[in-house]
Amino acid sequence: RGCFSQVDIALTTKTQPNCGTSTGSIVVAGSGGSDTYEYSRDNTTWQASNTFSNLGEGTYTIQVRDKFS
C-alpha cells in the first residue's frame, strides 16, 4: 500500500427520493487506478458496489478508492 494512483469519480445515475421517504439512489463510476474500486458514503464503511440506495433527501459525499493502492 505504498503507491497511490489518481482515481476520479463521476455521477452516472441519480434518482430523486419521493417527498419524505428514503427511495433515492445514486450510481457513481470510478476511473483511473487499477479498475478495482471501493466506494463509501462515510469514509469508514467501504463497499464494492457503486450503487447507493435507500437515500433520503440531502447532500451526499461519496469517496472512491483503488482497492489495491
Side-chain angles (χ1 to χ4, degrees), residues 11-62:
L11 176 66
T12 59
T13 305
K14 172 179 66 173
T15 303
Q16 297 288 353
N18 293 326
C19 187
T21 66
S22 296
T23 57
S25 65
I26 56 176
V27 179
V28 296
S31 62
S34 70
D35 287 338
T36 304
Y37 306 111
E38 293 179 316
Y39 303 88
S40 178
R41 253 185 6 172
D42 60 10
N43 205 26
T44 300
T45 304
W46 293 86
Q47 64 186 44
S49 174
N50 64 336
T51 301
F52 295 87
S53 302
N54 303 315
L55 301 176
E57 58 185 277
T59 301
Y60 296 91
T61 300
I62 306 299

